[in-house]
């Protein structure tokens, strides 16, 4: 499950205490707390009465009655399914059998009491009896961290192995709701479930926050089911039909990865807000005002913008502003580990891209794009310039085309940057895309080409390495890897 909330830790209090000349900022810091609204005493209420029960109830066994398992069992029963929970812990089983929640979670006990009284929810310590008539077995056991940071999969493997033995005749769909690393379901199939073809297995990750779990389940922002068996995926997805949320049916490893993508993104957002808040505090700026204003931009800031893997960033703004912000924080003796790591991360991503290009067997490499992104002629801090430097330094044959670059028309710092890095850049530039394609054995995309350019590249039959990430599963006109 994900974190329900966070506290704001302002490192600058300690810093200001040791720097008397900066205590003038304390009123601004305390102003932050005056503006912050207190946390609600109860989570957002979920209107459970508004949920219309399914007309096609499914027999579900929920294996593991911890936070995820108990909430999942109670909510599925509330949706009209016939649910039996199983756990080795007799206390959890006895609690549900008595119509009580085994732990406190807002709204959970009401659902358990209602569903148990109506005969839709029961619990047992017997795995065999739970699986005897089950159509779907939802595995919800814990996957705790080991000392190394790796996941502990002992409970998961044990439950999968015991389920395969107990359900050899009924063969329910095995749905893994536990948080597991990509590839785990495939390992379970090979090591615990008797190999491919014995059981249909899907990944059905949960996105529940402690303290809001019932509301999160019944008002989902995301429903994900991944696997290789379409029938099994659709059957598991149908459990959530009464909620009205369109399920994302994806590959098995994608479903496993999505949970990590979500949780790490949430952690990243919290760390970003805390570091920026700490810097604002040290500068006497109301952090809440800055972040509230940042969130007003739903085009770039709070949106899907930039959330597509592609080439390294560059240009005249992002690198410069990151360096300035980290430098100024350093002058305040304020470490910002997250923000300080962004430029090194970008450089590492560029090195990975350079290595991909170096690994190409093609003798003549044509590069599409010289500016730091498409639809501009700005060359300042363009990662493509670094790429070209590395290729030329290794003796590779390279030519470049950029639809918006005319060397004779650029000037000032833009011109100085590229000429200082590659004095003979004029000898590498091709005036037309057609001439680049005629010359090259392979094309490296560092920008997303416009549709006419895309058509030319595709028609050329040249091998393509797409570093810009411009293709999608539905609009796949250019290969994202080198085509032999």
């Amino acid at each position: 499950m994900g974190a329900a909330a966070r506290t704001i830790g302002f490192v600058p209090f300690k810093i200001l205490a040791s720097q008397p000349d900066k205590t003038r900022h304390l009123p601004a810091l305390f102003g932050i707390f005056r503006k912050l609204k207190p946390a609600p005493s109860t989570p957002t209420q979920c209107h459970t009465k508004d949920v219309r029960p399914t007309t096609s109830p499914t027999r579900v066994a929920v294996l593991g009655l911890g936070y995820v398992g108990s909430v999942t069992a109670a909510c599925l029963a509330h949706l009209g399914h016939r649910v039996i929970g199983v756990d080795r812990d007799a206390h959890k089983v006895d609690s549900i059998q008595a119509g009580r929640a085994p732990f406190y979670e807002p709204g959970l006990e009401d659902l358990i009491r209602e569903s148990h009284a109506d005969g839709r929810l029961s619990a047992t310590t017997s795995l065999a009896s739970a699986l005897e008539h089950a159509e779907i077995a939802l595995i919800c056991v814990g996957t705790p961290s080991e000392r190394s940071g790796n996941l502990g999969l002992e409970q998961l493997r044990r439950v999968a192995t015991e389920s395969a033995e107990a359900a050899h005749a009924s063969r329910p769909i095995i749905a893994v709701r536990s948080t597991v690393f990509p590839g785990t379901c495939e390992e379970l199939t090979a090591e615990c479930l008797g190999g491919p073809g014995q059981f249909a297995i899907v990944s059905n990750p949960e996105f529940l926050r402690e303290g809001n779990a019932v509301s999160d389940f019944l008002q989902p922002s995301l429903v994900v089911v991944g696997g290789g068996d379409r029938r099994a995926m659709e059957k598991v997805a149908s459990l959530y039909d009464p909620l009205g949320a369109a399920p994302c049916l994806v590959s098995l490893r994608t479903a496993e990865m999505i949970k990590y993508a979500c949780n790490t993104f949430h952690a990243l957002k919290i760390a970003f807000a805390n570091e920026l808040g700490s810097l604002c505090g040290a500068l006497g700026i109301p952090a809440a005002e800055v972040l509230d204003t940042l969130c007003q931009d739903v085009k770039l800031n709070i949106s899907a913008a930039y959330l597509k893997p592609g080439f390294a960033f560059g240009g005249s703004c992002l690198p410069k502003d990151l360096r300035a912000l980290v430098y100024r924080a350093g002058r305040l003796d304020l470490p910002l580990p997250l923000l300080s790591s962004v430029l090194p991360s970008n450089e590492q991503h560029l090195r990975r891209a350079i290595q991909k290009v170096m690994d190409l067997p093609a003798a003549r490499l044509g590069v599409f794009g010289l500016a730091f992104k498409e639809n501009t002629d700005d060359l300042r801090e363009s990662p493509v310039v670094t790429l070209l430097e590395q290729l030329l330094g290794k003796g590779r044959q390279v030519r470049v085309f950029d639809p918006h670059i005319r060397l004779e028309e650029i000037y000032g710092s833009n011109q100085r940057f590229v000429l200082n890095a590659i004095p003979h850049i004029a000898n590498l530039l091709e005036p037309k895309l057609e001439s680049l394609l005629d010359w090259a054995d392979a094309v490296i995309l560092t920008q997303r080409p416009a549709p006419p350019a895309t058509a030319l590249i595709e028609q050329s039959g040249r091998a393509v390495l797409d570093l810009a990430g411009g293709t999608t599963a539905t609009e796949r006109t250019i290969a994202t890897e080198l085509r032999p």
Side-chain angles (χ1 to χ4, degrees), residues 218-275:
L218 297 177
Q219 297 174 334
S221 55
L222 191 60
V223 174
V224 176
V225 181
D229 184 322
R230 188 75 182 186
R231 182 196 64 82
M233 293 166 64
E234 291 176 349
K235 180 66 175 177
V236 173
S238 71
L239 294 175
Y240 308 98
D241 282 350
L243 302 177
C248 298
L249 302 183
V250 297
S251 70
L252 191 58
R253 290 193 174 204
T254 296
E256 292 170 317
M257 190 65 190
I258 285 171
K259 179 60 183 293
Y260 283 97
C262 290
N263 276 357
T264 52
F265 187 47
H266 299 163
L268 185 69
K269 289 169 69 177
I270 292 170
F272 169 79
N274 283 339
E275 286 198 358

Side-chain angles (χ1 to χ4, degrees), residues 187-444:
E187 293 175 9
L188 291 179
T189 296
E191 300 172 9
C192 307
L193 298 176
Q198 298 300 310
F199 288 86
I201 188 167
V202 303
S203 173
N204 177 216
E206 51 82 19
F207 303 97
L208 309 176
R209 298 167 297 165
E210 293 182 31
N212 294 272
V214 172
S215 176
D216 287 343
F217 190 104
L218 297 177
Q219 297 174 334
S221 55
L222 191 60
V223 174
V224 176
V225 181
D229 184 322
R230 188 75 182 186
R231 182 196 64 82
M233 293 166 64
E234 291 176 349
K235 180 66 175 177
V236 173
S238 71
L239 294 175
Y240 308 98
D241 282 350
L243 302 177
C248 298
L249 302 183
V250 297
S251 70
L252 191 58
R253 290 193 174 204
T254 296
E256 292 170 317
M257 190 65 190
I258 285 171
K259 179 60 183 293
Y260 283 97
C262 290
N263 276 357
T264 52
F265 187 47
H266 299 163
L268 185 69
K269 289 169 69 177
I270 292 170
F272 169 79
N274 283 339
E275 286 198 358
L276 197 63
S278 295
L279 180 58
C280 288
L283 296 171
I285 300 168
E289 187 174 40
V290 171
L291 289 165
D292 285 347
T293 307
L294 178 148
C295 291
Q296 296 303 307
D297 182 352
V298 295
K299 180 179 180 181
L300 297 180
N301 295 344
I302 310 300
S303 73
Y306 306 125
L307 286 175
K308 290 184 178 179
F311 199 33
F313 65 77
S316 61
C317 297
L318 301 189
K320 174 180 71 71
D321 292 348
L322 269 166
R323 279 193 292 267
L325 186 145
V326 171
Y327 172 78
R328 288 302 185 108
R331 290 183 61 182
L332 295 170
D333 293 328
L334 179 60
L336 301 177
L338 174 65
L339 296 177
S340 297
S341 72
V342 176
L343 283 173
S345 173
N346 192 55
E347 291 164 4
Q348 183 62 51
H349 188 65
L350 177 56
R351 285 195 289 272
R352 286 192 292 267
I354 291 171
Q355 190 58 55
K356 283 185 178 181
V357 179
M358 291 291 191
D359 290 342
L360 296 180
R364 293 176 295 187
L365 303 174
V367 177
F368 182 94
L370 180 58
F372 79 97
K373 65 176 184 177
E374 56 270 8
N375 298 321
T376 183
D377 64 356
D378 194 346
L379 300 173
R380 289 171 292 179
E381 301 211 40
S382 170
V384 186
V385 173
T386 303
L387 169 64
L388 294 176
E389 286 183 291
Q390 293 292 318
L391 293 175
L392 293 170
K394 295 294 185 180
R396 302 299 291 267
Q397 298 181 63
V398 183
R399 291 188 187 177
V400 186
F401 170 77
D402 190 302
H404 302 291
I405 298 293
R406 298 293 178 269
L407 201 58
E408 64 274 11
E409 296 177 3
I410 64 174
Y411 59 91
S413 59
N414 202 15
Q415 183 187 70
R416 289 193 297 274
F417 177 80
V418 69
L419 291 179
N420 286 338
I422 309 173
H424 57 291
I425 185 65
N427 298 329
L428 305 179
L429 284 170
E430 289 285 351
K432 295 182 178 180
L433 176 57
E434 291 88 344
S435 59
L436 179 80
L437 295 174
D438 287 342
W439 175 84
D441 298 319
V443 178
I444 296 98

